[in-house]
Amino acid sequence: MIYVNPFKKWASVGIFPLLRFCHNFAPSYTLKTMTDLSHFDPNGASNPRNNIFGLPFKEEDARLVILPVPWEVTVSYGSGTSRAADNVFKASMQVDLFDQESNNAWRQGFYMRQPDRKILMKSDYLRKEAELYIDYTSSGENLEKNAFMCKSLKEINEGGIQLNKWVYEQTREIMNTGKLVALLGGDHSTPLGYFKAIAERHGDFGILQVDAHCDLRKAYEGFVYSHGSVMYNALEEIPQLTRLVQIGVRDFCEEEWNYICNSHARVVTYFDKDIKERQYEGETWKQIVDEIIQHLPEKVHISLDIDGLDPNLGRHTGTPVPGGFQAEQIFYLAKKIIRSGRRFIGFDLDEIGVGETGWDGNVGARILWKLCNMLVASNS
């Protein structure tokens, strides 16, 4: 059964409901904000003493909670994404709040938690071990002959289990209060616990993965919960994940190709090359989007690795690949998912880099802002 947004008849004014007309229909928790906005100027400069985007909400009053996960233990090329949340927070002060399409859904409240310093410290410690391990194994050395490296691998894999459990507990706790959740990575291994919490709460669901990579490797580089293995782990460990639709993929291995081919259509992959060639030959993005959406089930989570976009939008992401999307293409796809009657239930945004200019944080903040407004508006 497809979820139908009862406010769809006002789509001509914007893609989302005009909430001022709809108080009789909206769930009660969307209307009971304790935050007084009468003295808050959304047109003025942002106050960094407030929360993300300069918003004055407390967690208990917010409709949506952003959970930062400062973790990058298994990144295989560039690093820095464990500290992305701080950079996104800083850049968010430059984002204008007016969002006509969502009828300013931010007024229902967005709140970002502080990055957990214990998680960050654990990530830093295990990342150093992972670097030593990768250097050792990449030189062709025999792992079994080195007790220290075997110990390091065991610690790294145990750390991944602990991180997944922590993310699961945090996201489940938030959702159990009736709030929406957005996860801000960290590397792309971070949302696995969130996926499990979604499955527990929503039952069957699908993931739309925007990514340059399939992330379908089994224990990439020996790390069970590698960033390159997140979708493999999700499919193997979460039976409620009925469909994975991947778009923008342009860097993958034969193991992943075989997994897709043998998935019995549980995994549907739109490779970047194929999308581009279809457009070169006259198809529109709208036509391709309409086809993509047909593969998605009733409930949809969006998992957006920033390297799925054009590298100019994420210059310091860990594993950039030429090609990819513009941000507006992804926003359009998300709008069309909502218009189709499917239910947008959550998202994660991962692999944002950290550079000297602040560009990565700026792009990340603006994508986060747009997706937060879409998620809240479509669940009102």
Side-chain angles (χ1 to χ4, degrees):
M1 181 178 179
I2 298 297
Y3 169 82
V4 178
N5 190 322
F7 311 112
K8 199 171 180 181
K9 66 180 179 179
W10 285 294
S12 62
V13 185
I15 69 163
F16 301 116
L18 296 183
L19 297 178
R20 62 179 176 270
F21 295 142
C22 306
H23 286 191
N24 291 332
F25 299 97
S28 60
Y29 52 74
T30 67
L31 305 174
K32 293 182 179 178
T33 177
M34 299 294 291
T35 301
D36 181 9
L37 296 178
S38 62
H39 300 292
F40 177 71
D41 180 9
N43 301 303
S46 294
N47 183 352
R49 295 179 182 176
N50 286 341
N51 200 254
I52 193 163
F53 305 112
L55 298 176
F57 298 98
K58 297 178 181 178
E59 179 170 341
E60 57 266 30
D61 302 330
R63 177 71 177 99
L64 177 146
V65 176
I66 301 164
L67 177 69
V69 185
W71 187 265
E72 61 171 1
V73 174
T74 65
V75 291
S76 47
Y77 191 42
S79 61
T81 192
S82 63
R83 287 166 169 79
D86 289 334
N87 285 264
V88 169
F89 185 97
K90 181 179 179 181
S92 76
M93 299 300 152
Q94 301 302 315
V95 176
D96 279 318
L97 301 185
F98 183 63
D99 192 74
Q100 183 180 17
E101 286 187 317
S102 71
N103 195 40
N104 289 323
W106 62 266
R107 290 181 176 274
Q108 296 184 52
F110 304 162
Y111 179 87
M112 188 173 90
R113 290 183 173 180
Q114 287 286 333
D116 190 297
R117 295 300 164 186
K118 290 182 180 179
I119 297 293
L120 179 60
M121 289 174 65
K122 186 72 170 179
S123 174
D124 287 346
Y125 168 73
L126 291 178
R127 177 61 197 154
K128 291 177 182 178
E129 291 205 345
E131 287 175 343
L132 292 172
Y133 173 87
I134 292 170
D135 287 344
Y136 181 80
T137 56
S138 63
S139 65
E141 298 291 341
N142 190 330
L143 177 63
E144 296 178 356
K145 294 181 178 180
N146 190 315
F148 175 79
M149 289 300 166
C150 289
K151 178 176 177 290
S152 293
L153 180 60
K154 183 173 182 290
E155 286 185 353
I156 292 164
N157 286 333
E158 288 174 348
I161 293 171
Q162 293 165 5
L163 187 276
N164 294 336
K165 181 175 182 290
W166 181 84
V167 170
Y168 164 75
E169 291 173 346
Q170 297 295 310
T171 53
R172 181 184 63 172
E173 173 196 7
I174 297 167
M175 287 192 289
N176 282 346
T177 66
K179 298 181 186 299
L180 299 165
V181 178
L183 185 145
L184 179 61
D187 70 39
H188 209 170
S189 72
T190 56
L192 182 61
Y194 181 20
F195 298 160
K196 293 182 177 181
I198 288 173
E200 184 178 288
R201 185 169 186 83
H202 288 282
D204 290 351
F205 73 106
I207 293 176
L208 173 68
Q209 177 191 359
V210 183
D211 206 321
H213 310 88
C214 291
D215 293 346
L216 289 172
R217 299 172 187 255
K218 182 178 180 180
Y220 183 51
E221 296 183 316
F223 305 134
V224 175
Y225 292 104
S226 167
H227 72 114
S229 304
V230 64
M231 294 305 169
Y232 173 88
N233 291 325
L235 290 162
E236 294 296 312
E237 298 182 18
I238 307 173
Q240 299 93 329
L241 176 54
T242 60
R243 180 63 59 82
L244 171 64
V245 178
Q246 306 176 307
I247 64 170
V249 172
R250 50 200 187 274
D251 195 21
F252 55 98
C253 70
E254 185 175 2
E255 174 192 358
E256 294 173 302
W257 170 262
N258 290 334
Y259 190 97
I260 294 166
C261 293
N262 295 320
S263 72
H264 303 288
R266 192 179 177 200
V267 183
V268 177
T269 305
Y270 283 80
F271 296 99
D272 191 66
K273 177 183 73 71
D274 295 335
I275 291 174
K276 296 294 197 322
E277 289 182 356
R278 289 173 64 174
Q279 291 177 306
Y280 299 155
E281 294 177 4
E283 287 192 64
T284 66
W285 180 231
K286 177 189 180 301
Q287 290 173 313
I288 297 171
V289 162
D290 288 342
E291 181 182 305
I292 290 169
I293 291 171
Q294 292 306 308
H295 294 291
L296 292 168
E298 174 193 351
K299 297 178 181 179
V300 181
H301 173 96
I302 296 177
S303 187
L304 201 166
D305 185 325
I306 206 76
D307 69 27
L309 306 183
D310 185 317
N312 286 321
L313 296 173
R315 296 170 184 167
H316 297 92
T317 189
T319 49
V321 184
F325 299 105
Q326 294 301 310
E328 285 297 335
Q329 289 178 278
I330 304 307
F331 300 154
Y332 176 79
L333 173 55
K335 293 174 192 177
K336 293 285 283 186
I337 290 171
I338 296 164
R339 284 182 180 176
S340 75
R342 287 163 176 80
R343 187 173 174 192
F344 181 18
I345 58 175
F347 73 89
D348 58 272
L349 176 59
D350 313 291
E351 304 278 2
I352 297 169
V354 176
E356 295 180 0
T357 65
W359 174 246
D360 296 75
N362 176 41
V363 172
R366 294 174 186 280
I367 293 173
L368 181 65
W369 173 251
K370 195 67 178 177
L371 291 179
C372 284
N373 276 285
M374 287 183 171
L375 180 59
V376 168
S378 66
N379 282 273
S380 298

